[in-house]
Amino acid sequence: MLMQRLHVCAAIILCTAHARLSFENQTVDNNVTKSESNDLKSVLNLVGNVTESLDTAKPDEDHTQAQRNASEDGEQMNKENHGAKPDCPPLGLESLKVSDDQLESSSYLSVGLGPHRGRLNIQSGIEDDDEYDGAWCAGVEDQEQWLQLNALRPTLFTGVILQGRNSIWSLNWVRTYKVQFSNDSSVWQPCMNGSEEAVFVGNEDLETPVLALFPEPSVAQYIRINPQTWFSNGTICLRAEVLGCPVPDPDSPHFSESESGSLDDLDFRHHNYNEMRKLMKSVNDECPNITRIYTIGRSYTGLKLYVMEISGNPGKHELGEPEFRYVAGMHGNEVLGRELLLNLMQYICREYNRGNQRVVQLVKDTRIHLLPSMNPDGYETAYEKGSELSGWALGRYSFEGIDMNHNFPDLNNIMWDAQELALDKKRVAPETRAVISWMQDIPFVLSANLHGGELVVTYPFDCTRDWIPRQDTPTADNDFFRWLATVYASTNLVMANPERRICHSEDFQQHNNIINGADWHTVPGSMNDFSYLHTNCFEITVELSCDKFPHVSELPIEWENNKESLLLYMEQVHRGIKGVIRDKDTRAGIANAVIKVDGLGHDIRSAVDGDYWRLLNPGEYKITVWAEGYFPRIRHCSVGSEPHATICDFTLTKTSQDRLKQILASGGKIPRDNQVRIRAMRMRKLRASTKILNRRREQQQRLNKVKRK
């Protein structure tokens, strides 16, 4: 024990500078710094903590009154901590950085309520008491129960965040609790508040996370949460996150000089509305020739919905160049997508300037639109609380309380039921209206919307027939949608890891981390379904992480997890066929022409310039194109396996009647070939009418002869 304490003390001395740097880089807003005097004070406190004797456990004794007094002190500490932002990041119970093997408990109520389920914001299945329940729950109701974390190395523990049990059937949460520390899991030292054992205030409901910062941070390898009181009509259940800074230890197998992250020099932090605008402006200033910032509307509170356009000719749709979009932040508290798109625009700009040929080609051949925050009102609400404390739902909805992924016109049921729904009675958020208008203005070909809270890629349809809770409901383009989903999922470093733990209660690895949206849960009025049915655009949903609001320290890792997926998915916009549909005589593009693929019951239409893009898997296809006033045209087009669309142009000939109307309306002369056709038609009519007249004369002559007789 003496050698162990000396080793920890030595490690603390070695890590003084590292601790200061960690505090500076791992704060929630990534801007707060600490003075050297405060760092020195913290280190001295650490030395004082770890040199306290841990050789003898505190004897059991009845101190109910002392506990009550300590609880009152705990309430005061929690009040003082209100709004405080911890210096050390979460160790990763919620993000799954902490493995199941690192969690133990004194007892548990069932397998599904074991210590591995005691993770902040973990969600249960529909049924209670299955193997994926919503918390750790003790099997015995007394004050000796505990949930224990092995940090695997000496760690400066600074605080705990607690929630109750996630359940729609039962009410369980911990009201007060104690904390103990150990270096060997045998001898435990209580967290002290002055001369008394600290008692912390826990929860008053199931979901609201409550932060408790320790009066004095302590260095140890193990930490225990020891419930003291709980909801009177429930039992001991909790979900937790532990805050701590690893102490450098060169002799530990878990020691590394630097945490894994990213080599890309990007702005890895959470950006509120103003900071997001500044970052987008800085990218535009750095790459003015390939970027443009524009807005598509405003949120309910008046915040603008900013889009970053990246292309070789910003601000203009170029003939034959496909339009691509990423949308993030539909649910305001699912923040990783927002930060990834801000990272992506920085990355593309800088790599383009460096001459990265992959990026240069992508920018040259594609018009890219990035909407990082569809629900800025919800984001600001979640951002105010910060990572871990915003909970599972705070900021999800718009300011009006609307879930925008259920807010688009429900075209599925109109299609399936062949009846008009009262869409005007549906309250449509201004943000949703802005996105619908955006979809109508730009001929998007491919899109993905970025969410959080799971690790899976879903594809349309999202809504089942007959409102069944979940059922595989494929589109006509199911095979291509599965390809798109697989492209993202198979290159995402976390999804592609066969040893990863499931997030909550669904094992998506058995489906290769992709699933039909309706086969997960039915979502009427989703953006995916509206995009597919109302426009030409194919769209999928990417659930990026188990943690909806990852700590700032996780952002570099998450960028690396998703960077290749984000780039490769954009490149899929160049699959299938593309071309221009033109008028044979004028050579002008024909807008709104219908492109039909034989065997696929989903038609698309040409854009205003007559250009079109039809996403298809490799193969041979019979394509029929027609437009009002034109004769249809059929071609056979071949699609290869490379991401280069096959050019398949069409030239349409006007029907005779429409062609003559157009010529006469413009005051022009009828072309000679048309005059020949008209003469021929007149001659045919003349011959036909002559035959009729001759027959009538013959009949009349016969009648006259009969009368004379």
Side-chain angles (χ1 to χ4, degrees), residues 332-515:
N333 64 330
E334 297 170 12
V335 307
L336 180 55
R338 175 191 182 107
E339 298 307 324
L340 288 177
L341 293 193
L342 295 178
N343 293 153
L344 182 62
M345 60 183 72
Q346 287 180 284
Y347 177 82
I348 292 177
C349 168
R350 293 175 184 178
E351 292 302 306
Y352 182 90
N353 287 341
R354 291 189 182 106
N356 181 323
Q357 284 305 300
R358 181 186 188 185
V359 172
V360 170
Q361 194 69 34
L362 185 62
V363 172
K364 177 183 175 183
D365 295 342
T366 318
R367 192 179 180 207
I368 303 165
H369 306 258
L370 308 178
L371 172 60
S373 187
M374 181 178 167
N375 181 8
D377 294 347
Y379 176 83
E380 293 299 302
T381 300
Y383 178 85
E384 186 177 349
K385 282 287 186 179
S387 177
E388 283 70 60
L389 297 182
S390 61
W392 186 252
L394 183 66
R396 173 185 177 89
Y397 305 104
S398 72
F399 187 86
E400 300 172 276
I402 296 173
D403 185 334
M404 284 185 273
N405 203 33
H406 295 250
N407 196 225
F408 287 80
D410 185 5
L411 301 182
N412 305 66
N413 286 291
I414 294 176
M415 173 183 66
W416 290 326
D417 299 338
Q419 62 184 9
E420 190 73 26
L421 297 183
L423 296 177
D424 57 334
K425 294 182 180 179
K426 184 173 184 178
R427 186 169 54 145
V428 180
E431 299 90 342
T432 308
R433 292 185 187 277
V435 170
I436 291 174
S437 178
W438 187 37
M439 291 177 175
Q440 293 170 334
D441 290 343
I442 298 176
F444 290 112
V445 180
L446 182 61
S447 175
N449 61 85
L450 309 181
H451 288 246
E454 259 297 352
L455 276 167
V456 67
V457 182
T458 74
Y459 53 90
F461 286 119
D462 288 333
C463 185
T464 61
R465 296 175 184 265
D466 303 321
W467 297 88
I468 297 170
R470 59 184 300 176
Q471 182 183 60
D472 187 26
T473 311
T475 66
D477 290 283
N478 190 60
D479 290 344
F480 193 80
F481 271 118
R482 288 180 59 81
W483 165 261
L484 290 173
T486 300
V487 164
Y488 201 101
S490 63
T491 53
N492 178 281
L493 298 185
V494 180
M495 292 187 203
N497 180 4
E499 299 181 357
R500 75 171 178 88
R501 184 191 186 280
I502 66 171
C503 289
H504 301 284
S505 60
E506 296 270 3
D507 183 7
F508 292 111
Q509 285 185 300
Q510 62 181 322
H511 307 296
N512 296 318
N513 302 299
I514 70 171
I515 192 170

Side-chain angles (χ1 to χ4, degrees), residues 23 41-50 52 87-88 155-159 181 191-192 213-220 243-245:
F23 285 1
K41 180 180 179 181
S42 297
V43 171
L44 292 175
N45 286 336
L46 295 182
V47 174
N49 285 336
V50 297
E52 289 184 16
D87 290 320
C88 287
T155 300
L156 171 65
F157 293 113
T158 61
F181 308 103
C191 180
M192 303 297 290
L213 295 178
F214 303 147
E216 294 291 340
S218 295
V219 170
L243 308 179
C245 295

Side-chain angles (χ1 to χ4, degrees), residues 91-349:
L91 294 186
L93 277 79
E94 181 179 10
S95 68
L96 304 184
K97 184 186 290 186
V98 170
S99 69
D100 289 351
D101 294 339
Q102 292 175 251
L103 296 170
E104 296 183 47
S105 64
S106 53
S107 63
Y108 50 87
L109 202 56
S110 65
V111 173
L113 293 167
H116 63 293
R117 301 297 291 180
R119 300 172 180 272
L120 193 73
N121 286 320
I122 202 165
Q123 302 294 294
S124 66
I126 297 176
E127 301 293 334
D128 278 359
D129 303 321
D130 63 9
E131 61 180 315
Y132 300 115
D133 223 318
W136 162 67
C137 292
V140 180
E141 289 191 24
D142 63 33
Q143 294 180 335
E144 304 303 316
Q145 304 306 304
W146 44 261
L147 176 68
Q148 174 181 307
L149 165 66
N150 178 3
L152 302 179
R153 57 185 286 184
T155 300
L156 171 65
F157 293 113
T158 61
V160 165
I161 301 171
L162 237 59
Q163 275 176 318
R165 175 184 177 183
N166 175 253
S167 172
I168 59 175
W169 310 108
S170 58
L171 300 174
N172 299 291
W173 58 79
V174 169
R175 291 188 183 278
T176 61
Y177 62 98
K178 297 179 180 179
V179 174
Q180 291 97 34
F181 308 103
S182 175
N183 285 328
D184 57 8
S185 77
S186 296
V187 178
W188 292 88
Q189 179 72 24
C191 180
M192 303 297 290
N193 183 23
S195 60
E196 296 182 344
E197 188 172 356
V199 177
F200 300 96
V201 176
N203 302 98
E204 293 297 327
D205 60 39
L206 300 176
E207 295 295 337
T208 306
V210 177
L211 166 68
L213 295 178
F214 303 147
E216 294 291 340
S218 295
V219 170
Q221 181 172 326
Y222 299 86
I223 183 172
R224 276 182 179 177
I225 300 170
N226 172 212
Q228 295 298 295
T229 61
W230 45 93
F231 179 53
S232 58
N233 293 328
T235 188
I236 302 172
C237 294
L238 62 85
R239 293 174 287 168
E241 183 60 86
V242 176
L243 308 179
C245 295
V247 174
D249 183 358
D251 296 330
S252 170
H254 303 286
F255 171 76
S256 62
E257 288 295 338
S258 60
E259 295 294 329
S260 59
S262 174
L263 297 178
D264 294 324
D265 183 21
L266 306 177
D267 189 4
F268 293 118
R269 60 192 174 106
H270 290 294
H271 298 78
N272 64 16
Y273 179 73
N274 288 329
E275 291 164 344
M276 179 187 73
R277 295 199 318 172
K278 291 176 183 177
L279 185 144
M280 295 178 73
K281 179 63 165 58
S282 69
V283 172
N284 182 234
D285 290 342
E286 190 173 348
C287 294
N289 294 329
I290 63 167
T291 65
R292 178 178 72 104
I293 301 171
Y294 65 97
T295 64
I296 61 172
R298 292 179 181 267
S299 70
Y300 183 84
T301 65
L303 301 182
K304 292 181 178 180
L305 306 184
Y306 286 103
V307 177
M308 173 66 78
E309 177 194 340
I310 306 175
S311 73
N313 191 5
K316 181 182 179 182
H317 170 71
E318 296 184 85
L319 192 71
E321 184 175 80
E323 307 268 359
F324 177 92
R325 72 170 182 261
Y326 273 130
V327 177
M330 174 184 285
H331 296 143
N333 64 330
E334 297 170 12
V335 307
L336 180 55
R338 175 191 182 107
E339 298 307 324
L340 288 177
L341 293 193
L342 295 178
N343 293 153
L344 182 62
M345 60 183 72
Q346 287 180 284
Y347 177 82
I348 292 177
C349 168

